[in-house]
Amino acid sequence: MPHDHHDHDDHFHHEGISPSGHPYRADDDTPLTYWQTMEIAVRELLVEKGHVTAAEIAAQIDRMDARSPANGAAVVARAWTDPAFREHLLADGSAATREMGFDIGPMHLLAVENTPGVHNVIVCTLCSCYPRNLLGLPPDWYKSRAYRSRLVREPRRVLSEFGLTLPADTTIRVHDSTADMRYVVIPERPAGTEDWDADRLAALVTRDSMIGTGLPRPAA
Amino acid sequence: MDRFDGKSWHDMGGGEGGALTDLPPDHDFALWEKRVDALMVLMTSKGHFSVDGLRRVLEDMGPRAFETMSYYERWMAAVNQNLVEAGLYTTTELGERMERVARRGGTYGLAADPRSTDRD
Amino acid sequence: MTEAATGGTDGAPQFPDGAAVRVKALMPPGHVRTPAYLRGKRGIVERRLGPFPSPEQLAYNLPAERLPLYRVRFTMAEVWGPAAERPDDTLDAEIYGPWLLPED
């Protein structure tokens, strides 16, 4: 029963970093589940049969980990400060964000802009479609029965539960991501930021403001 | 019990749901979950199946799976189903490999460690 | 398949921007991307999105024909009737051509 890897494990646990550079996570030490067992088995079979390499999987995880709402915030802040980019983003969101290094892959990005009197909000009632190239992986609530069921029927009530109460004369446009488009909301630029540059503005752009369940932070 | 009228459980728009207050804090996903996600992205980009193939299996798993399995557990089941259908490996091969993986140790860290030696 | 069944040959759109359309009120089992809450409802083509492979065939790893895809805008009053939270709020969804009918 060879267990020579234990020495390595102890070493790497001590360092807190795996050989591939990923921090070890708590799930490494919890009892193995059926579905974890399947993940290992499927991955090994695919690698052994030449359908994918371990390096491809690691690189894909790195790409995923590099995606966060900071990507979307950079896009929004640029749209606020660069009129030509804003036009491009609204006309062809996939191309405009790809130019910034945020490739949406085979999907298509559609940017929807909040204006005085119009507020946009995004949902996927059929599954969990989300602009992963700009925002990373979706939060649990976005995938929940409550959000998927209720947003299309009572958006004002749902938004109020997020702490967002809109003026009565604001029109709400709900976007259900039913097919090949992915959506991002361009929120309204906060007042009092007229002389701010894009980097400073990006810090005001929250994830929820790009889903439509929130607004950007106010200028302090 | 309601008679089936063609509307699938996953088609949630307009249905009932709880309040969206006191949301749980955001969390990072576990390594095994990220690997499931990566397998989905890579194997669909290589053309072995599609996101609609994933969705079809998730939908066919039914509402009980939605309530009792985690997001990436459901994805794992659906990715596997599509890969078997695409002919990349057989169900028996999967079963034998899962048994071998489970023998390596009782935690994900041990079972997934490529330096572990399989015990025969 | 007939042209009516595929919603146009080779994904060519059959409705212009701004056209009034109605979502077919079909209830087949299986993988479709038309939400039930919009079936039978009347909307306006907000924009054409071009041809995309049919999800109903992709779901079973079959060769997929290309279908025109539309963003259709519905009013909350149309979708929910008197129960609408506010009648002139809107709901946009992407609907494939074969699920749409022309509406006067």
Side-chain angles (χ1 to χ4, degrees):
Chain A
M1 226 194 288
H3 271 289
D4 61 328
H5 56 276
H6 272 174
D7 291 337
H8 297 286
D9 274 354
D10 291 340
H11 171 69
F12 287 120
H13 276 151
H14 181 69
E15 298 294 320
I17 296 289
S18 74
S20 67
H22 288 286
Y24 275 114
R25 294 173 171 85
D27 66 301
D28 270 15
D29 295 322
T30 55
L32 184 68
T33 69
Y34 183 85
W35 302 105
Q36 289 173 342
T37 308
M38 184 181 287
E39 180 275 310
I40 299 165
V42 166
R43 178 161 45 85
E44 289 183 357
L45 287 172
L46 293 176
V47 170
E48 285 170 17
K49 290 169 181 285
H51 296 299
V52 69
T53 67
E56 285 178 297
I57 295 167
Q60 175 58 31
I61 292 175
D62 286 345
R63 270 196 295 279
M64 191 184 337
D65 282 345
R67 292 170 168 179
S68 79
N71 292 7
V75 169
V76 168
R78 185 164 170 203
W80 283 345
T81 53
D82 178 345
F85 177 78
R86 174 182 162 276
E87 291 299 320
H88 190 198
L89 181 65
L90 291 171
D92 187 345
S94 311
T97 53
R98 190 172 291 125
E99 276 177 21
M100 289 185 73
F102 309 135
D103 191 353
I104 194 162
M107 299 301 168
H108 293 248
L109 184 78
L110 223 156
V112 289
E113 186 179 43
N114 289 351
T115 56
V118 175
H119 181 88
N120 295 278
V121 59
I122 296 160
V123 65
C124 175
T125 62
L126 297 175
C127 46
S128 55
C129 300
Y130 191 72
R132 290 161 56 131
N133 67 320
L134 296 183
L135 302 185
L137 296 174
D140 286 344
W141 59 258
Y142 186 84
K143 304 181 281 189
S144 71
R145 178 182 294 279
Y147 189 74
R148 291 169 52 184
S149 300
R150 295 179 52 218
L151 187 78
V152 293
R153 184 165 45 82
E154 44 183 9
R156 287 169 190 270
R157 189 155 163 220
V158 169
L159 294 183
S160 75
E161 291 170 8
F162 279 87
L164 177 57
T165 302
L166 297 167
D169 59 353
T170 295
T171 298
I172 296 183
R173 299 204 189 287
V174 178
H175 303 271
D176 190 354
S177 316
T178 49
D180 299 273
M181 301 295 119
R182 299 292 175 268
Y183 297 87
V184 67
V185 175
I186 309 175
E188 283 189 88
R189 181 171 173 164
T193 61
E194 289 70 20
D195 56 348
W196 290 31
D197 67 13
D199 283 348
R200 195 172 170 203
L201 285 165
L204 301 182
V205 184
T206 62
R207 177 194 66 196
D208 287 8
S209 75
M210 293 181 279
I211 301 173
T213 53
L215 298 178
R217 299 183 183 94
Chain B
M1 195 173 141
D2 292 337
R3 285 187 183 277
F4 183 63
D5 64 359
K7 181 179 174 185
S8 174
W9 69 273
H10 77 278
D11 188 350
M12 294 182 181
E16 300 299 321
L20 286 148
T21 49
D22 301 321
L23 301 173
D26 294 336
H27 59 90
D28 196 13
F29 291 97
L31 178 57
W32 84 272
E33 295 175 304
K34 293 186 178 189
R35 282 172 166 163
V36 173
D37 199 287
L39 286 177
M40 168 64 197
V41 171
L42 290 168
M43 300 316 281
T44 53
S45 71
K46 289 169 187 274
H48 295 296
F49 64 102
S50 70
V51 66
D52 286 290
L54 181 92
R55 292 168 178 155
R56 181 252 311 170
V57 176
L58 293 171
E59 291 159 13
D60 289 350
M61 286 165 68
R64 186 173 152 75
F66 186 80
E67 307 296 346
T68 59
M69 294 166 69
S70 74
Y71 187 74
Y72 281 108
E73 287 174 347
R74 283 177 272 133
W75 270 42
M76 185 64 246
V79 166
N80 173 61
Q81 178 73 25
N82 274 273
L83 292 174
V84 169
E85 289 175 0
L88 270 57
Y89 53 82
T90 67
T91 303
T92 301
E93 280 181 289
L94 173 70
E96 288 177 342
R97 179 55 60 104
M98 285 178 69
E99 187 189 43
R100 200 164 121 191
V101 167
R103 278 204 306 268
R104 293 176 192 158
T107 66
Y108 184 78
L110 286 174
D113 192 333
R115 294 161 302 178
S116 294
T117 304
D118 290 319
R119 288 174 274 166
D120 294 314
Chain C
M1 268 189 229
T2 66
E3 190 168 315
T6 61
T9 52
D10 198 27
Q14 76 271 44
F15 301 112
D17 288 358
V21 291
R22 184 179 294 276
V23 181
K24 292 181 183 175
L26 309 174
M27 294 301 279
H31 180 74
V32 297
R33 297 296 293 180
T34 306
Y37 73 90
L38 293 176
R39 296 185 199 174
K41 305 301 183 187
R42 181 182 181 281
I44 299 291
V45 172
E46 190 265 345
R47 75 182 83 175
R48 292 165 292 173
L49 297 167
F52 287 91
S54 168
E56 298 179 25
Q57 290 159 322
L58 288 176
Y60 301 96
N61 226 346
L62 299 168
E65 65 186 308
R66 291 160 74 75
L67 305 176
L69 183 65
Y70 303 88
R71 261 167 63 78
V72 181
R73 177 163 294 171
F74 305 84
T75 64
M76 291 289 182
E78 169 69 13
V79 178
W80 309 116
E85 214 178 28
R86 224 193 70 171
D88 54 350
D89 284 343
T90 64
L91 234 159
D92 290 13
E94 300 145 53
I95 310 287
Y96 294 92
W99 276 85
L100 294 175
L101 296 167
E103 175 80 5
D104 295 328

